[in-house]
Amino acid sequence: NDKKILFICTGNTCRSAFAAAYLRKLCENRKITDLEVNSAGTNTINGMPASENAIIAAKDFGVDLSKHLSTCLSAELIDSSDIVVCMT
């Protein structure tokens, strides 16, 4: 049974997007396969790309956000997550 972690911020175009992508990278490097990592925003619309500055900053950590698209926070996302991390 996979555990699910959800990172939340306002727009889901920088902080939570980076946090989720970075944790996915760490899991991949450590061959952790039983963790699902997602991100969402409290005040966004679905399908917004990561901000240009977030894409640039993420590269310093070996993370590619160029294909990220924002997700609106929903009750279903929260209810299906084992851990919810809110970022400000």
Side-chain angles (χ1 to χ4, degrees), residues 38-88:
N38 295 300
S39 66
T42 60
N43 189 20
T44 191
I45 59 172
N46 287 325
M48 298 294 295
S51 74
E52 186 175 332
N53 286 337
I55 292 170
I56 293 166
K59 285 181 183 176
D60 289 342
F61 294 87
V63 173
D64 181 9
L65 289 181
S66 65
K67 292 179 177 57
H68 172 78
L69 296 174
S70 65
T71 300
C72 281
L73 181 62
S74 67
E76 293 80 19
L77 275 174
I78 292 173
D79 290 343
S80 69
S81 298
D82 296 296
I83 297 172
V84 178
V85 180
C86 299
M87 309 177 85
T88 184

Side-chain angles (χ1 to χ4, degrees), residues 13-41:
T13 58
C14 353
R15 292 163 293 195
S16 61
F18 170 74
Y22 188 64
L23 182 55
R24 282 189 212 106
K25 176 186 166 91
L26 293 176
C27 288
E28 182 180 316
N29 291 346
R30 290 170 174 79
K31 299 184 181 3
I32 297 169
T33 59
D34 60 347
L35 187 63
E36 182 181 320
V37 182
N38 295 300
S39 66

